[in-house]
Amino acid sequence: MRVTWVTDDHKAPSTVEYGMSPGQYNAVARGENTSYTFFFYSSGKIHHVKIGPLKPGTTYYYRCGGCGPEFSFKTPPSTFPIEFVVVGDLGQTEWTKSTLAHVESKDYDVFLLPGDLSYADFQQPLWDSFGRLVEPTASRRPWMVTEGNHEVEMIPIIYPHGFKAYNARWLMPYEESGSESNLYYSFDAAGGSIHIIMLGSYTEFDSDSAQYKWLKQDLAKIDRKMTPWVIVLLHAPWYNTNTAHQGEGESMRKAMEELLYGARVDIVFAGHVHAYERFTRIYNNKADSCGPVYVTIGDGGNREGLAMSYKNPRSPLSMFREASFGHGRLRVLNHTHAHWSWHRNNETDSVIADEVWLDSLSASSTCMGQQPSSLRDEL
């Protein structure tokens, strides 16, 4: 586990003390730190400390920097079942608070966020307020995120590469997964039974790009006998019947869809569109029982509001769509079955508005038995 926190005190040590009983820390880890400036803003000291090895399914108590409050988190299990919460386009509004309250009302193991975190949009103090807002949730369970368009914060000549705040604050395990960029990476869950790939919609993705080459290599390493589930997250959806952001993921889809289809990816989660939509299994704009299920879940609570308008008549590929704030839960029960549910934020309760049982493609002899001829050489 990597623990990240920010201190105003630039002399504060980058240390984490931890143990399995409150107030009793029998281990200590030292890590690294960074900081950044953005025009007249100077960040606090941003600490990143890796702790472990840790036991699965275990609560650990920890303290950062040798003083301050005690936090606790629970490590994910190393076996099935395991439950993921999926929330995109979170922001920091009253809607956001409602979403996080609904998330916390029921236990889960890992939080997945397909881009658009703070909506700071160049106003750097909003990165700090976002950290304070999510701390009660993000200090208790692993948060695995990828970037959205609101993380870019690029200014030609001055900050030409963008992502200055995001990369400094939200360090993901890209080096551990062989990636050259914090904007795309992968990791395993449930003892290697689930492989999760976080792609970058806002960095190069064509067939000559570093991301494409990394993705190809990452997919080639997966043994579906050992890893029956493969899940992908990205920000701009490849399939979308909402009138908002139409076609914005199309160039990435054309570049990478064949790779995901050939690897028999089970599910692709996206954000960006501020609504919820679930598609059937698709490949190349057609229903395909060996393609991924596509889900748009950009309804976490951002300040821009909901995307209320949909294209009509509805595409037969779209199984369910609704413009409401909420969150999703993917409970993977075993090697073959998972349950997906979308929970609408009603006033006091989190209501299941959509749900579906999913079969892993690794269990399909039809899908695993043959791949399209164009992919055999590639993979």
Side-chain angles (χ1 to χ4, degrees):
M1 198 77 75
R2 177 182 282 121
V3 182
T4 293
W5 75 100
V6 184
T7 58
D8 291 328
D9 180 4
H10 281 262
K11 294 180 180 177
S14 300
T15 58
V16 173
E17 301 162 279
Y18 60 100
M20 287 187 280
S21 300
Q24 297 181 25
Y25 313 122
N26 53 13
V28 61
R30 289 172 177 78
E32 58 191 56
N33 61 78
T34 187
S35 61
Y36 71 96
T37 58
F38 199 93
F39 287 106
F40 300 111
Y41 172 89
S42 295
S43 77
K45 187 176 183 179
I46 303 166
H47 308 262
H48 300 292
V49 178
K50 262 201 233 181
I51 65 174
L54 306 173
K55 294 180 179 179
T58 303
T59 298
Y60 284 86
Y61 299 85
Y62 67 103
R63 187 172 68 173
C64 301
C67 61
E70 178 180 81
F71 296 98
S72 67
F73 67 80
K74 186 181 175 188
T75 54
S78 61
T79 57
F80 297 120
I82 183 171
E83 185 158 323
F84 301 91
V85 159
V86 191
V87 183
D89 300 68
L90 197 54
Q92 40 189 315
T93 66
E94 292 302 314
W95 296 318
T96 311
K97 292 177 184 175
S98 172
T99 299
L100 292 176
H102 289 316
V103 165
E104 288 296 294
S105 69
K106 184 170 175 280
D107 199 16
Y108 61 96
D109 299 302
V110 181
F111 192 107
L112 304 176
L113 203 164
D116 281 2
L117 284 70
S118 71
Y119 285 77
D121 294 329
F122 305 102
Q123 300 179 57
Q124 297 306 299
L126 290 178
W127 279 107
D128 295 311
S129 59
F130 180 74
R132 289 190 288 271
L133 173 67
V134 304
E135 179 185 285
T137 307
S139 60
R140 294 179 60 249
R141 295 291 183 273
W143 274 43
M144 308 304 287
V145 308
T146 190
E147 85 278 7
N149 53 300
H150 287 274
E151 275 71 68
V152 179
E153 298 184 313
M154 186 189 79
I155 300 174
I157 302 173
I158 304 172
Y159 300 114
H161 302 296
F163 303 106
K164 194 170 188 182
Y166 174 76
N167 283 338
R169 295 171 182 270
W170 290 85
L171 180 60
M172 293 291 117
Y174 73 94
E175 290 178 330
E176 292 86 340
S177 58
S179 166
E180 297 174 2
S181 169
N182 192 48
L183 304 179
Y184 51 90
Y185 64 96
S186 65
F187 65 100
D188 290 332
S193 295
I194 304 172
H195 189 65
I196 299 173
I197 300 170
M198 309 292 257
L199 295 179
S201 295
Y202 301 95
T203 185
E204 294 294 323
F205 46 68
D206 60 38
S207 59
D208 294 327
S209 67
Q211 180 175 200
Y212 183 97
K213 292 169 184 173
W214 169 84
L215 174 61
K216 193 171 158 184
Q217 291 172 351
D218 191 76
L219 292 170
K221 293 174 188 172
I222 302 170
D223 178 354
R224 292 304 289 270
K225 290 185 177 67
M226 303 295 294
T227 307
W229 293 93
V230 181
I231 300 166
V232 169
L233 279 81
L234 46 85
H235 188 62
W238 293 358
Y239 292 97
N240 169 33
T241 72
N242 197 291
T243 57
H245 301 303
Q246 267 298 314
E248 291 184 23
E250 183 65 4
S251 54
M252 190 182 191
R253 181 191 73 81
K254 287 180 176 177
M256 291 183 158
E257 184 180 28
E258 195 174 36
L259 285 183
L260 300 196
Y261 180 66
R264 299 299 186 240
V265 167
D266 292 289
I267 314 166
V268 177
F269 292 110
H272 201 39
V273 175
H274 301 156
Y276 170 72
E277 185 164 19
R278 173 174 59 85
F279 291 86
T280 188
R281 293 192 177 277
I282 305 176
Y283 174 59
N284 197 23
N285 286 293
K286 295 185 183 69
D288 190 314
S289 60
C290 297
V293 170
Y294 286 85
V295 175
T296 301
I297 185 111
D299 59 344
N302 69 89
R303 59 178 164 73
E304 295 173 348
L306 292 164
M308 303 294 291
S309 175
Y310 286 96
K311 295 167 69 176
N312 285 307
R314 181 162 80 181
S315 164
L317 299 175
S318 178
M319 299 289 101
F320 188 99
R321 58 187 192 177
E322 183 179 312
S324 296
F325 291 118
H327 75 278
R329 288 177 181 260
L330 180 69
R331 183 167 179 82
V332 186
L333 274 78
N334 52 39
H335 285 72
T336 56
H337 290 84
H339 181 259
W340 166 254
S341 55
W342 175 62
H343 301 246
R344 183 195 300 125
N345 289 358
N346 275 17
E347 297 191 3
T348 54
D349 301 313
S350 176
V351 176
I352 297 180
D354 179 44
E355 60 183 324
V356 65
W357 283 94
L358 301 170
D359 296 337
S360 167
L361 292 180
S362 67
S364 166
S365 56
T366 303
C367 295
M368 299 309 290
Q370 65 178 74
Q371 294 173 333
S373 58
S374 60
L375 288 159
R376 285 180 198 139
D377 295 335
E378 234 179 311
L379 294 173

